[in-house]
Amino acid sequence: IGKTTLDLGVWAKPADREAEMDLVRRNGQLSATEYIFRTRDGREIIGLLSAERIEIGGEPCALTVIQDITERRKAVEDLRKSEIQLRLVTDSLPALIAYVDNETRYRFVNKTYSEWFGKPAEELIGKPVKSIVGSEAYGPILPLIEKALAGETVSVHAELAYEGAGPRSVHIVYVPDIGDDGLVRGFFSLVSDMTELRRSEDLLRSTEDRIALLMENVTDYAIFSVDTDGVIETWNNGAERIFGYRAEEIIGRTSDVL
């Protein structure tokens, strides 16, 4: 008491003190303004300063309150860094990753999600899921969302017609976000686009069906297949006519019998 804050070296930047006092003189008060202060042991802290001009014994004074928010700011900065790391990781994945709150609004989407629907992340954040995926796709996934918000992990395959993205074959995983109080705050969404894989499987299946049909109808040629151990796996009508073995007799035996 009796010394100025400059005498005590409280201000990390003395010019800040002059700026603060000038604002109080002109405006009569200053509310929740951040400054950097120095403690007695030399540590620098971030303080949230509020001040009001008053008179004590006829002398103008400034009633000042400083709240140490160093740890709060550190927590915010750590959170920002973790969000950047999360963004870097999720944006590198080909799957659609999102976080949806308990009001079914997007709170996070990755790069793939934005690209799928042709909208930047900032246009998706805060929007209801239904307004983005469309009514036709939302109908089938609504029961899944309800399960996730009830605390149940969901993993299903679905054929959905998305607004803007068109018909897609997808694998959906919803994982509930349950707080320490036991309440579900939202859910994490992982959607993998299986459309091309499904098309490839359908094409392969169609090709296999055509080959099987060809094998059954060709009688001038013996067409059969064997595995790596030489065991006969398929046997067409032509093979039966030429070698005299019916399919049920030869399949499962080695080709040494031929």
Side-chain angles (χ1 to χ4, degrees), residues 37 39 43-49 65-73:
F37 299 95
T39 64
R43 291 183 303 109
E44 288 191 351
I45 64 171
I46 301 172
L48 197 64
L49 182 148
V65 176
I66 300 173
Q67 180 185 6
D68 183 357
I69 61 169
T70 308
E71 290 303 316
R72 185 198 305 176
R73 284 294 303 275

Side-chain angles (χ1 to χ4, degrees), residues 67-209:
Q67 180 185 6
D68 183 357
I69 61 169
T70 308
E71 290 303 316
R72 185 198 305 176
R73 284 294 303 275
K74 182 178 182 299
V76 170
E77 181 62 19
D78 290 344
L79 178 60
R80 186 186 68 83
K81 289 179 180 178
S82 67
E83 287 177 343
I84 291 173
Q85 292 173 339
L86 175 64
R87 172 68 63 186
L88 289 173
V89 172
T90 57
D91 280 353
S92 68
L93 299 176
L96 284 76
I97 300 173
Y99 180 83
V100 179
D101 66 19
N102 55 14
E103 295 182 349
T104 69
R105 294 180 180 273
Y106 291 107
R107 294 305 172 193
F108 173 87
V109 296
N110 73 336
K111 182 180 178 182
T112 304
Y113 218 108
S114 297
E115 292 175 345
W116 232 50
F117 292 100
K119 298 180 180 180
E122 52 268 25
E123 287 188 20
L124 299 176
I125 301 303
K127 297 290 180 62
V129 173
K130 184 177 181 180
S131 69
I132 301 302
V133 304
S135 299
E136 192 171 348
Y138 189 73
I141 66 173
L142 178 57
L144 309 180
I145 290 174
E146 291 173 341
K147 286 183 178 181
L149 292 177
E152 182 180 340
T153 297
V154 176
S155 178
V156 299
H157 182 85
E159 305 290 334
L160 301 174
Y162 289 95
E163 185 176 297
R168 300 291 179 112
S169 179
V170 294
H171 184 255
I172 299 171
V173 177
Y174 292 156
V175 179
D177 177 22
I178 303 175
D180 294 335
D181 55 5
L183 298 178
V184 179
R185 296 175 293 196
F187 64 90
F188 300 94
S189 170
L190 174 65
V191 178
S192 300
D193 187 355
M194 311 295 289
T195 307
E196 291 305 317
L197 177 61
R198 283 288 173 147
R199 286 173 181 167
S200 298
E201 290 175 346
D202 290 343
L203 178 60
L204 178 60
R205 191 176 300 110
S206 174
T207 301
E208 289 175 343
D209 291 343

